[in-house]
Amino acid sequence: MEPPPEPEGPGVHRGFICASFNQDTTSLSVGTQTGYRLFSVTAVDKLDCIHEGVECPDVCIVERLFSSSLVVVVSLSMPRRMNVYHFKKGTEICNYSYTNNILSVRLNRQRLVVCLEESIYIHNIKDMKLLKTLLNTPTNPTGLCALSVNHSNSYLAYPGSATIGEITVYDANNLSSVTLIQAHDSPLAALTFNASGSKLASASEKGTVIRVFSIPEGQRLFEFRRGMKRYVSISSLSFSADAQFLCASSNTETVHIFKLEQHSPRSQEEESPTWSAYVGKMFTAASTYLPAQVSDMMHQDRAFATVRLNTYGLKNICALTTVQKLPRLLVASSDGNLYIYNVDPQDGGECVLVQKHALFDSGDETVETKEDEKPDEVAPPTVGQSYAATVALPSSPLSAATLTGYSEDGGAHKGDVIPEHELAEGPVCLDDENEFPPVSPE
């Protein structure tokens, strides 16, 4: 099976393939035609390149573990192989190959999760052992999944259905199911946890409604409407560190920031009467006589703040973080730039662009087309029919272990553990000048 061609479209930078922020939004990883680049995003006025990896070209997945030297890389030329590097030492920790194309990788200090189209693999990040294989998961062509950053719970969320917006929440630490959430009528398009793993945000392929659920209970906490006029493709959801705000970016020119706040009826009554409060009470009273669908829309919150991008239709990822003691919105776009906006946490409104950084040298080219043309989506690696097996390639000493392959109609069943195996030279040491201290078993 041939890997897909490099992503192209109006305004897409020729070198850009993928991008991701690390778990605490202190660095940005960018997959390129020549390898990958890691940037520090802890300052507004400068963008320092921490490392440029050239171990393999056409990197379609690159994920860094916090501020450690551990980085996971997948290339379009070998889309079934995951390479784990210690980039400061310039060495490969290990590599694994799977039965089908790797669509996404998620990691925290306890677990490394690899998502294929119809299966998910959970590794122990300390020694890279395969702990659990979730087989025959619902078809997931984009590799949509989320892993909570807080390693004390390591909640994993992924689609529970290919036809409706059902979310399966799984405990990757205890290797057990948690809950099933009926989130949307349409298939899922985006998922993200807050930093503590107590909230999960989701959006469907329609992209009109974003919902937030409590974890592990799965109760609906908030519902935000980003627009009713058109369906959009939401490409990124991200909570602020304190989970007070949630941003959503899509293939439109607008990034929406929602505020997660609840108003008790008592506090509203105690406020001094205003025109808006009066009108609000009128709507509340009227809603009891309206059809349920109309009534629900009245109770949904609108965006607290917005950002107007200069581009339309480009794939981008967004993150809410604090840079130099002020709240910022970071947007990494496939046009090859990182945009930094100021966010007013009190009044919201239109966010102001304060800095734009080029992720590539000025000599690199950008694909230029008409602004009103609709772009092509950045295509993930195409995936064929999968079956339940995985093999660790013996190309490096630490990965010289082979797992027994199992066909779908024999051997391991859905959710079963692939048989126990040992790595050739013991556990992998991930210590890196105290950046990633060993995690003691809980």
Side-chain angles (χ1 to χ4, degrees):
M1 181 172 56
E2 292 293 326
E6 62 195 51
E8 289 188 358
V12 174
H13 195 284
R14 289 186 186 277
F16 183 98
I17 298 179
C18 68
S20 67
F21 291 102
N22 67 340
Q23 294 83 356
D24 55 5
T25 322
T26 56
S27 70
L28 171 68
S29 306
V30 179
T32 71
Q33 289 182 330
T34 57
Y36 64 92
R37 296 177 183 179
L38 305 178
F39 299 93
S40 172
V41 292
T42 56
V44 172
D45 294 333
K46 61 179 180 177
L47 184 68
D48 292 331
C49 184
I50 302 167
H51 177 74
E52 185 164 2
V54 293
E55 294 88 353
C56 55
D58 298 326
V59 170
C60 59
I61 295 174
V62 53
E63 296 285 341
R64 184 188 184 191
L65 179 65
F66 288 92
S67 296
S68 76
S69 291
L70 178 74
V71 62
V72 178
V73 175
V74 178
S75 169
L76 288 174
S77 59
M78 300 185 71
R80 299 185 178 191
R81 174 167 161 171
M82 175 183 72
N83 299 286
V84 184
Y85 296 113
H86 188 298
F87 72 81
K88 284 188 178 179
K89 293 181 179 178
T91 59
E92 182 182 70
I93 296 174
C94 64
N95 63 70
Y96 276 83
S97 284
Y98 302 85
T99 59
N100 225 314
N101 290 1
I102 301 168
L103 300 179
S104 63
V105 175
R106 301 288 182 264
L107 54 163
N108 61 25
R109 294 185 189 275
Q110 197 85 338
R111 296 288 181 257
L112 186 152
V113 175
V114 178
C115 184
L116 312 188
E117 186 176 27
E118 294 179 346
S119 57
I120 295 175
Y121 298 82
I122 302 173
H123 294 260
N124 181 23
I125 205 164
K126 288 184 68 176
D127 55 14
M128 297 300 166
K129 281 187 178 180
L130 179 64
L131 301 176
K132 188 88 167 183
T133 305
L134 304 175
L135 304 177
N136 303 321
T137 55
T139 302
N140 184 10
T142 63
L144 177 63
C145 68
L147 179 68
S148 62
V149 173
N150 185 353
H151 63 269
S152 63
N153 49 51
S154 292
Y155 289 126
L156 171 67
Y158 59 92
S161 168
T163 56
I164 61 173
E166 192 173 79
I167 305 172
T168 297
V169 181
Y170 188 85
D171 186 334
N173 278 357
N174 298 313
L175 306 178
S176 59
S177 298
V178 176
T179 188
L180 196 64
I181 301 173
Q182 306 298 327
H184 303 271
D185 294 333
S186 302
L188 299 170
L191 289 170
T192 191
F193 285 99
N194 67 331
S196 66
S198 63
K199 293 182 177 68
L200 174 67
S202 67
S204 73
E205 289 181 350
K206 289 184 178 180
T208 54
V209 173
I210 297 165
R211 295 189 170 112
V212 178
F213 301 90
S214 65
I215 301 297
E217 301 83 9
Q219 295 179 346
R220 187 188 302 182
L221 300 177
F222 300 95
E223 184 171 283
F224 304 111
R225 183 170 293 278
R226 59 149 307 284
M228 295 180 289
K229 294 181 180 179
R230 52 181 174 175
Y231 290 172
V232 301
S233 175
I234 292 182
S235 58
S236 176
L237 288 174
S238 177
F239 283 97
S240 59
D242 60 4
Q244 295 300 303
F245 298 92
L246 173 69
C247 65
S249 63
S250 65
N251 57 346
T252 71
E253 69 281 1
T254 306
V255 178
H256 296 80
I257 300 176
F258 303 98
K259 191 171 185 179
L260 282 69
E261 56 182 355
Q262 293 177 325
H263 300 287
S264 65
R266 180 177 299 178
S267 63
Q268 289 181 349
E269 291 173 3
E270 292 173 354
E271 292 177 356
S272 58
T274 62
W275 182 84
S276 59
Y278 174 71
V279 173
K281 288 180 180 178
M282 286 178 57
F283 275 124
T284 302
S287 68
T288 58
Y289 303 102
L290 295 174
Q293 185 176 4
V294 178
S295 174
D296 287 344
M297 291 195 314
M298 285 187 176
H299 288 90
Q300 291 165 348
D301 293 310
R302 297 283 177 164
F304 171 76
T306 56
V307 165
R308 302 288 177 183
L309 303 176
N310 293 326
T311 58
Y312 176 88
L314 296 186
K315 185 175 178 64
N316 59 72
I317 59 168
C318 59
L320 289 167
T321 187
T322 300
V323 180
Q324 294 176 319
K325 300 182 179 180
L326 291 177
R328 321 276 188 178
L329 173 74
L330 308 182
V331 180
S333 171
S334 57
D335 68 0
N337 291 296
L338 172 68
Y339 299 89
I340 303 178
Y341 295 86
N342 281 347
V343 180
D344 185 338
Q346 299 300 322
D347 299 326
E350 188 78 17
C351 299
V352 178
L353 176 66
V354 291
Q355 194 61 254
K356 172 184 173 182
H357 293 292
L359 300 173
F360 297 88
D361 299 332
S362 57
D364 296 336
E365 295 181 3
T366 303
V367 180
E368 296 290 350
T369 58
K370 295 180 182 178
E371 291 182 0
D372 57 351
E373 288 183 359
K374 185 143 184 171
D376 299 327
E377 289 290 328
V378 178
T382 55
V383 179
Q385 185 177 2
S386 65
Y387 73 93
T390 184
V391 177
L393 293 179
S395 58
S396 78
L398 289 176
S399 63
T402 301
L403 309 184
T404 306
Y406 279 73
S407 62
E408 287 188 348
D409 56 355
H413 297 287
K414 182 175 181 180
D416 284 356
V417 182
I418 293 293
E420 183 180 355
H421 66 287
E422 296 295 333
L423 293 173
E425 297 187 9
V428 177
C429 180
L430 297 180
D431 296 32
D432 182 20
E433 299 174 358
N434 297 320
E435 287 181 334
F436 180 60
V439 178
S440 59
E442 296 185 4

